[in-house]
Amino acid sequence: MGILDSKIPSGPLAEKWTKYKNEIDLVNPANKRNIDIIVVGTGLAGGSAAASFAELGYNVKTFCYQDSPRRAHSIAAQGGINASKNYQGDGDSDYRLFYDTVKGGDYRSREANVYRLAEVSGNIIDQCVSQGVPFARDYGGLLDNRSFGGVLVSRTFYAKGQTGQQLLLGAYAAMNRQIHRGKIKSYTRHEMLDLVIVDGKARGIITRNLITGEIERHSAHAVVIASGGYGNLFFLSTYAMGANVMAAWRTHRRGAFMANPCFTQIHPTCIPVSGEHQSKLTLMSESLRNDGRIWVPKRLEDAQAIREGKLKPTQLKEEDRDYYLERRYPAFGNLVPRDVASRAAKERCDAGYGVNKTGEAVYLDFDAAIMRYGSEKALTSGLKNTDDAHIRKLGEEVVEAKYGNLFQMYEKIVDENPYKTPMMIYPAVHYTMGGLWVDYNLQTTIPGCYAAGEANFSDHGANRLGASALMQGLADGYFVLPYTIGDFLADDIRTGPIPTDSVDFDKVEKDVLDKINKLMSANGTHSVDYYHKKLGKIMWNKCGMSRNAKGLKEAVEEIAALRKDFWENVKVPGTADDKNQELEKAGRVADFLELGELFAMDALERNESCGGHFREEYQTPEGEALRDDENFKFVSAWEYKGDPKDAKLHKENLIYEYIELKTRSYK
Ligand SMILES: Cc1cc2nc3c(=O)[nH]c(=O)nc-3n(C[C@H](O)[C@H](O)[C@H](O)COP(=O)(O)OP(=O)(O)OC[C@H]3O[C@@H](n4cnc5c(N)ncnc54)[C@H](O)[C@@H]3O)c2cc1C
């Protein structure tokens, strides 16, 4: 077992980043013109990095599998992005954002990275505002904020329920300017299938043109993997359908360590699963918990009557409802962190209080907020003697202005009006905190190979607080990588272009073709989705919201058997030298079938509960996660050794110099 060096700069926490920037090597503007960088992924992390590199003068090549960078999964982000601007004057600061994030991650993240994240968070907002991102503003025209879980301040900047889309348009516009200048060459509908290492450094990738099936070689002096998260491992999740682990996994297979693969976020407010034929789950943004109150009936018989359609939630009196988050966590109430809220919902549903047909749903109710906003509106509008119906109408208008698109989406999917009857929600897989291990420079264990955004493991520990993925992705892309990558590239000013006709490229291309041929020639009877669904079931049942040693051991065995079956019995129709979406899926699912096993091994190895990793054997009498700081205060980083079962565990010991480790409480 090796110990990893995270290369955290010395000096006081708040000065590390500045000190680091003052001391690193720089590449002068004329030399930047001779250096190429590949960026795999053009979501918020990759898009912002690519635009910034090109603005600095590097030659950039970007890759994405969609038909436009605009379609990256980042576009789905709804609720907002955090920054410690303290515009509300409610006591926020860099330190508080840092503290909330470390505590929110259940003390399993790296202090220096998280502090840097907080430090640059304000710059992100300035950058995006100057790009024209239309953040919500208050009546006076100033930027507005709302609250997200796990914090006691309002620091979330938002653009209605479409924050990711607006931020991505900003990053895409910045990219487009560089595409127009010839500084970015954008390869859309191209999938990275492997990483090429030359003399120990990442120097290129092999891609497949998804329209023509052509296999291509691309070289550069450094490669950035910004390919997003791997939540689709569970088949059902809130991710975009195409989201996958291929770029990160294939990089892992070439030597980059995979960190904390079992740290997955289950989001508490998603539209519940409705049946076997579903392939996608839909998020109802956490921002809704600012105003929505979560409850189930107090009595089992009422829950049963609701499930049987004999009782409506609106008929249940206030005193017959259990607002269980407000009851259990009075200080944070409905805004406890996602892992806490998810487990609490599961606990109530497991105890028989679930409110939909499957018994796996709780209510998110806006009635109180509608009446509160309505009364306020009536007062500020000078209306007297207004009746309840009028107040309700006014309140609904306010709620619509805040969350209208989310309510509309809910109504379209569930066919119920959430203004009139409470939403039904249940936890679903939403984000992966695990990813490629990176040091302070965001460099993986392969020199010259960097990872950014959700593809790396870096800042969120065992749980990500809401609105902090966008912050991290944009911090990585706009403000961290543009500095840290220069320190590496300073050694390459005389290297010249990297040739692609080398034995290193030959070898990796051959591996890629062999794998494609193997998939095409399997000629079995089952579709790729058949395996993906089966894998998803194992993951959800044995590695999901709560885990235990027995289930995890079974999962390791079952996934290995499923993988074997996949390679023998999968059927991929069509040909490899043409557009072939089944082949694309097959490659992605093949990687999930390896990652799934490592995921279960990682969860089995971590004999503690922390954040989203809840081991049933390790819990407090109240059912809260029970950490073991003495034995598990580390990042687990797995080295690829062939079969997932042979992966070698390395540890990065986490040192807490500025935050005292405490039992995480939101009461
Ligand atoms: C429904 C939903 C709502 C969310 N809301 C919020 C929110 O309000 N606030 C918040 O902070 N976070 C939110 N998140 C999380 C956040 O959106 C993501 O974590 C973040 O956008 C990920 O950005 P990224 O740039 O790392 O990856 P992505 O946006 O996933 O981009 C990945 C890119 O990699 C490319 N790619 C992947 N594999 C390959 C390959 N093999 N070859 C070539 N290209 C490849 C893709 O084409 C894409 O361009 C939400 C997530 C979901 C699912």
Side-chain angles (χ1 to χ4, degrees), residues 423-436:
M423 285 183 182
M424 281 189 286
I425 50 157
Y426 196 67
V429 172
H430 179 66
Y431 182 88
T432 47
M433 284 77 73
L436 292 173

Side-chain angles (χ1 to χ4, degrees), residues 272-275 307 349 354-361 426:
V273 176
S274 63
R307 283 199 294 273
C349 291
V355 293
N356 69 348
K357 282 194 184 120
T358 65
E360 292 196 325
Y426 196 67

Side-chain angles (χ1 to χ4, degrees), residues 62-339:
T62 60
F63 296 84
C64 68
Y65 61 76
Q66 291 93 347
D67 56 3
S68 158
R70 265 205 69 206
R71 293 186 186 271
H73 164 69
S74 290
I75 205 166
Q78 300 173 349
I81 174 167
N82 288 333
S84 56
K85 287 275 200 188
N86 193 28
Y87 281 171
Q88 304 307 316
D90 55 1
D92 204 4
S93 63
D94 289 350
Y95 182 84
R96 275 193 192 274
L97 174 50
F98 157 68
Y99 175 82
D100 289 343
T101 308
V102 172
K103 177 183 170 192
D106 218 349
Y107 306 92
R108 291 292 174 265
S109 42
R110 198 187 279 153
E111 276 191 336
N113 283 52
V114 181
Y115 195 87
R116 175 176 65 187
L117 178 67
E119 211 180 332
V120 304
S121 65
N123 299 352
I124 299 172
I125 304 303
D126 296 343
Q127 166 96 351
C128 296
V129 167
S130 56
Q131 285 172 346
V133 171
F135 284 123
R137 291 177 182 267
D138 65 17
Y139 182 73
L142 301 174
L143 292 179
D144 198 11
N145 292 123
R146 54 190 176 201
S147 269
F148 265 54
V151 308
L152 294 171
V153 295
S154 286
R155 63 162 71 103
T156 306
F157 294 77
Y158 63 100
K160 231 179 178 182
Q162 307 162 347
T163 315
Q165 178 172 1
Q166 299 306 329
L167 292 172
L168 192 60
L169 285 171
Y172 178 53
M175 265 185 80
N176 253 336
R177 178 165 171 267
Q178 302 301 335
I179 293 173
H180 188 61
R181 289 179 65 219
K183 293 303 292 179
I184 294 183
K185 180 133 181 47
S186 160
Y187 295 84
T188 58
R189 302 294 280 133
H190 273 67
E191 185 156 63
M192 168 188 162
L193 299 185
D194 219 327
L195 180 79
V196 183
I197 298 176
V198 180
D199 294 333
K201 293 179 181 174
R203 295 300 202 186
I205 60 173
I206 305 292
T207 61
R208 180 166 179 274
N209 179 325
L210 300 180
I211 305 291
T212 63
E214 202 179 330
I215 299 298
E216 299 171 5
R217 302 174 178 198
H218 297 274
S219 70
H221 298 89
V223 176
V224 175
I225 305 293
S227 52
Y230 51 82
N232 277 347
L233 170 62
F234 286 75
F235 188 69
L236 285 181
S237 80
T238 62
Y239 282 72
M241 291 295 288
N244 67 87
V245 76
M246 183 184 280
W249 190 254
R250 308 256 166 125
T251 304
H252 168 61
R253 288 173 64 113
R254 294 282 169 201
F257 293 179
M258 189 55 119
N260 297 334
C262 80
F263 284 179
T264 307
Q265 178 168 90
I266 315 265
H267 196 298
T269 59
C270 305
I271 299 182
V273 176
S274 63
E276 274 297 307
H277 297 292
Q278 203 166 344
S279 54
K280 173 87 185 75
L281 292 177
T282 305
L283 174 76
M284 287 288 105
S285 167
E286 176 161 323
S287 58
L288 294 173
R289 284 199 273 147
N290 272 268
D291 285 313
R293 298 178 72 197
I294 295 178
W295 64 274
V296 289
K298 262 188 192 156
R299 289 191 298 257
L300 279 170
E301 55 271 29
D302 287 341
Q304 186 165 351
I306 286 179
R307 283 199 294 273
E308 289 168 0
K310 294 179 187 155
L311 185 68
K312 290 200 170 105
T314 42
Q315 292 171 317
L316 217 61
K317 291 203 205 83
E318 195 61 19
E319 59 270 26
D320 294 331
R321 302 171 175 198
D322 177 15
Y323 295 94
Y324 56 88
L325 288 178
E326 297 171 27
R327 168 170 60 78
R328 287 179 64 179
Y329 308 98
F332 286 72
N334 293 294
L335 281 172
V336 287
R338 292 175 179 178
D339 58 324

Side-chain angles (χ1 to χ4, degrees), residues 398-455:
V398 178
V399 167
E400 189 186 355
K402 285 183 147 208
Y403 314 111
N405 67 316
L406 301 171
F407 275 54
Q408 189 193 29
M409 196 155 69
Y410 181 88
E411 189 166 2
K412 273 195 172 171
I413 294 172
V414 181
D415 198 23
E416 267 184 6
N417 180 347
Y419 294 97
K420 307 292 179 206
T421 184
M423 285 183 182
M424 281 189 286
I425 50 157
Y426 196 67
V429 172
H430 179 66
Y431 182 88
T432 47
M433 284 77 73
L436 292 173
W437 185 88
V438 288
D439 62 18
Y440 188 73
N441 302 313
L442 304 185
Q443 187 166 222
T444 68
T445 42
I446 302 173
C449 180
Y450 292 77
E454 197 173 336

